[in-house]
Amino acid sequence: MALSISAPTSSSLLPASFQVVTELDAVASFSEIVPDTVVFDDFEKFAPTAATVSSSLLLGIAGLPDTKFKSAIDTALADGECNTLEKPNDRMSCFLTKVEHEEIWQALANVGAELAHLVPGRVSTEIDARLAYDTQGIIQRVHELLKLYNDHDVSSERLLFKIPATWQGIEASRLLESEGIQTHLTFVYSFAQASAAAQAGASVVQIFVGRVRDWARTHSGDPEIDDALKKGEDAGLALAKKVYAYIHKNGYKTKLMAAAIRNKQDVFSLLGIDYIIAPLKILQSLEECVTDTDVKYGYVPRLTPVLGKTYNFTEEELVKWDQLSLAAAMGPAAEELLASGLEGYVNQARRVEELFGKIWPPPNV
């Protein structure tokens, strides 16, 4: 294999026949690469094709007062009920005791609408993790957010709604997809969750490859992970491969997204998957590694639809999932990582509520 040049190279020093191609160019020809960032100046360098709006994104915007998205939050706050109260303690009490936080939904929709004008693909909006075990609550929240997006003239075709992959979340996905509303199932750490989500018709399923690997390094006793390790496989990559094969074996419409990418080798090992969410430092490294077209075309996809024909599934893995069978099949890794992920999202949502409660006077918009 030809040696790649891991530094910017002056075109004046290259032969006329040499075409400058980066590793990022090569991998992007197989999978859609989504930058994992809340730093909006990076949009120009690594222009995303899709985006996600979340509590952590709102916190990032609030910490960057000069960002172009700040006015989207300001508008939501200025129109909010709690910000009509003059005393700081009353405002904070209002935010902390309210069951519904319309200002936050409005801020998510405002920012999401702005992003919809910047990216050619879909914008995924996070659903409050405190609704993770409430199917009807999830559906109601999605409908409310969809109405706010409609007020911005953003069509449902441009939107995804990011829902935790609990059984209740998977059921909400099934019902929403039957309405033509696209869903994005997250916190997927097991084959059972992913295959149940595909059966439900979820538009996107997001697997956290690195988190599964991290768990496997410090724990044991999860049959699915132990089986992968006995075969000499990386547990996170093996899960992504298995789910990809399952989706294509059954002809489901679901697209697969890999997250928690730790290094460039993860990217190379996942070539062919529908989406890869990669940190900026990895994208920077891929962008800086220059090669030639011969090497570029030496890259091959590791995940292809033919896997669906060659992968051997057990009868238990091809079951039609219900709540009881899903709970029995998830395993300790998925249970622990799902609980940890939900806790983190809930904490971020509370931080946003506290932050919004402290902002005074109302922004002048």
Side-chain angles (χ1 to χ4, degrees), residues 3-4 25 62 84 92 94 115 150-151 160 165 194 208 213 220 242 244 279 285 287 298 304 317 327 335 355 359:
L3 180 66
S4 298
D25 295 326
T84 62
M92 180 62 74
C94 174
L115 286 168
N150 287 339
D151 292 341
L160 288 162
F208 290 82
R213 176 191 303 142
S220 62
K242 185 175 183 179
Y244 186 91
S285 178
E287 177 71 14
T304 67
E317 290 169 338
E335 291 174 353
L355 177 64
I359 296 177

Side-chain angles (χ1 to χ4, degrees), residues 163-167 169-175 177 183-207 243 246-247 252-256 319-322 326:
I163 299 170
T166 59
W167 174 253
I170 292 169
E171 272 292 281
S173 171
R174 180 179 66 82
L175 294 168
E177 292 280 352
T183 59
H184 170 181
L185 270 293
T186 188
F187 295 142
V188 175
Y189 304 104
S190 68
F191 174 76
Q193 287 174 286
S195 53
Q199 288 178 7
S203 295
V204 176
V205 167
Q206 181 173 341
I207 293 177
V243 173
Y246 178 83
I247 289 170
Y252 292 124
K253 71 171 188 178
T254 302
K255 301 297 185 183
L256 194 57
V319 70
K320 177 68 175 176
W321 297 101
D322 58 27
L326 178 66

